Amino acid sequence: MNELDTLVESARADFAQATTPVDLENAKARYLGKAGRITELMKGMGALSVEEKKTRGAAINVAKQAIETALTDRRQALADAELQAQLKAEALDVSLPGRQRGVGGLHPVSLTLERIEAIFGSMGFEVADGPEIESDWFNFTALNTPEDHPARSMHDTFYVEGGSAKAPNLLRTHTSPMQIRHAVQHVKRHRAALDAGQAMPEIRVIAPGRTYRVDSDATHSPMFHQCEGLWIGENVSFKDLKVVFTDFCRTFFESDDLVLRFRPSFFPFTEPSAEIDIQFQSGPLAGRWLEVAGSGQVHPNVVRNMGLDPERYIGFAFGMGPDRLTMLRYGVNDLRLFFDGDVRFLSQFR
Ligand code: DAH
């Protein structure tokens, strides 16, 4: 083996020993660098004759090319090895279970409200929405509630800033103010027909939403839900109330095995008034009377405050508790569970 072959072999061995790109570049410098062996050999040709330079130069070039090829091969090998190592280190185990995305759901009371809206919607009722901060007029006065009624006391009602001493603002204690708000709008829309003595389309509306009272225990929450119902026309009777509400209850609870009782009661805004109780004839709640709503024929003073003539317009109203309906439907025994925000409870309704 001549000197140049030995040099190529030695370069190959050095390159093979280099295990990092830095090692390899250092090894390269020893052969191909400015002070490298090949460069030295080239410089050493200065004393040779032209003829000798030719053959010697060609031989050195062959060696140089062999070393460069060895270098390129080794570079490639190191790059491949690095890539393999990286792939191995960053390998994904595609058999691992994926990270779950949390699935949200509606609150049980929201589910009930949607259900109520769908059922009354199918009976031709509109759905109305209104403010939770109310004036004393809409919440009490327009609903025929006398000045000294106990519901107006600070023990029962949250009063808020704004309004005047004579007409304070408050958090609505029931959804009944929506009777007045909605009816007034309705009457306004049909004012021309009414003034011309023509018939007005019936008012048929429900108004679900949040209500507030100074009250807190296992069955009372300072914030709770109500859903108001109102049907006013020229010929709407208590019988219609019975039909509508019985239909609603049987659809809501998906049971015909259910009877209703209209128990005489008192509300300032209805006359006569009745509490509506239901009784399941079978199942876990069978045999107990359960109160679900207040109701009655709308008081003439209230009809007047709607802007209508009580001699001509008559109808019924009811106010029910969606929280209570939710408890009955799902068998929940503590109202506070709805408002604690505990995901373990809420996720059961997803
Ligand atoms: N607003 C009443 C309450 O909160 C419930 C009620 C009773 C609503 C009779 C009505 C009704 O519309 O006619 O206790």
Side-chain angles (χ1 to χ4, degrees):
M1 212 193 276
N2 70 30
E3 167 212 10
L4 286 173
D5 291 339
T6 313
L7 185 62
V8 171
E9 277 314 302
S10 135
R12 284 202 180 113
D14 274 3
F15 293 167
Q17 269 193 343
T19 52
T20 68
V22 174
D23 284 352
L24 185 59
E25 293 316 307
N26 287 337
K28 170 201 161 182
R30 289 201 291 279
Y31 296 93
L32 304 171
K34 262 188 198 150
R37 302 283 298 282
I38 291 287
T39 319
E40 268 173 15
L41 290 174
M42 295 285 208
K43 280 182 194 157
M45 291 201 304
L48 300 180
S49 71
V50 173
E51 224 22 60
E52 280 169 329
K53 270 185 187 162
K54 254 189 186 167
T55 43
R56 179 68 175 160
I60 295 175
N61 257 333
V62 168
K64 186 183 175 193
Q65 269 167 22
I67 291 173
E68 280 174 344
T69 305
L71 175 70
T72 316
D73 288 352
R74 186 59 186 153
R75 266 193 194 136
Q76 190 59 49
L78 284 181
D80 287 351
E82 188 179 301
L83 181 63
Q84 287 309 319
Q86 191 182 354
L87 284 175
K88 205 172 158 197
E90 295 173 6
L92 293 179
D93 181 349
V94 292
S95 68
L96 281 174
R99 247 171 248 147
Q100 302 270 332
R101 178 137 28 123
V103 178
L106 287 180
H107 189 279
V109 173
S110 299
L111 292 173
T112 294
L113 293 175
E114 282 198 342
R115 210 171 156 72
I116 292 171
E117 290 173 18
I119 296 169
F120 279 102
S122 78
M123 294 193 264
F125 280 74
E126 285 180 68
V127 179
D129 202 6
E132 290 168 27
I133 295 178
E134 260 302 3
S135 69
D136 172 80
W137 163 259
F138 283 111
N139 197 81
F140 292 123
T141 312
L143 291 166
N144 200 38
T145 306
E147 208 76 50
D148 55 356
H149 193 281
R152 298 180 100 132
S153 84
M154 306 254 282
H155 297 291
D156 282 329
T157 300
F158 291 108
Y159 287 91
V160 297
E161 286 177 6
S164 62
K166 274 215 86 185
N169 283 341
L170 46 84
L171 297 182
R172 66 178 180 187
T173 60
H174 51 182
T175 45
S176 301
M178 282 307 295
Q179 289 188 34
I180 307 291
R181 283 187 179 275
H182 182 80
V184 163
Q185 288 300 318
H186 184 94
V187 168
K188 212 171 171 184
R189 271 201 302 277
H190 300 287
R191 190 77 262 167
L194 279 164
D195 287 348
Q198 291 161 6
M200 173 194 77
E202 289 185 340
I203 298 173
R204 211 182 297 170
V205 68
I206 59 165
R210 280 182 284 269
T211 48
Y212 303 85
R213 276 182 215 174
V214 185
D215 219 348
S216 188
D217 58 40
T219 52
H220 296 90
S221 153
M223 189 287 296
F224 58 105
H225 296 85
Q226 277 198 346
C227 181
E228 198 74 10
L230 178 69
W231 186 349
I232 299 276
E234 293 190 22
N235 199 15
V236 181
S237 74
F238 220 93
K239 176 198 72 188
D240 297 307
L241 167 62
K242 283 190 156 183
V243 169
V244 162
F245 213 84
T246 303
D247 238 31
F248 164 72
C249 289
R250 293 193 171 152
T251 311
F252 183 86
F253 288 107
E254 293 171 88
S255 167
D256 285 340
D257 220 6
L258 184 82
V259 293
L260 277 77
R261 174 174 80 177
F262 289 75
R263 181 163 40 85
S265 183
F266 173 80
F267 298 101
F269 30 90
T270 43
E271 182 59 38
S273 305
E275 305 269 3
I276 307 177
D277 303 331
I278 62 171
Q279 190 185 78
F280 295 95
Q281 302 305 104
S282 58
L285 296 167
R288 276 166 51 202
W289 285 110
L290 308 159
E291 187 184 316
V292 291
S295 68
Q297 185 173 305
V298 180
H299 193 286
N301 288 345
V302 176
V303 174
R304 208 171 283 117
N305 288 334
M306 293 170 175
L308 292 168
D309 174 6
E311 294 298 326
R312 184 166 175 190
Y313 289 95
I314 190 166
F316 65 78
F318 58 82
M320 61 180 157
D323 303 329
R324 189 82 204 287
L325 292 179
T326 311
M327 291 172 78
L328 292 175
R329 181 159 144 86
Y330 295 110
V332 175
N333 56 14
D334 192 330
L335 178 70
R336 289 170 292 200
L337 286 167
F338 289 145
F339 309 122
D340 282 348
D342 188 331
V343 183
R344 289 168 303 176
F345 172 73
L346 295 175
S347 61
Q348 297 176 68
F349 300 89
R350 260 202 319 243

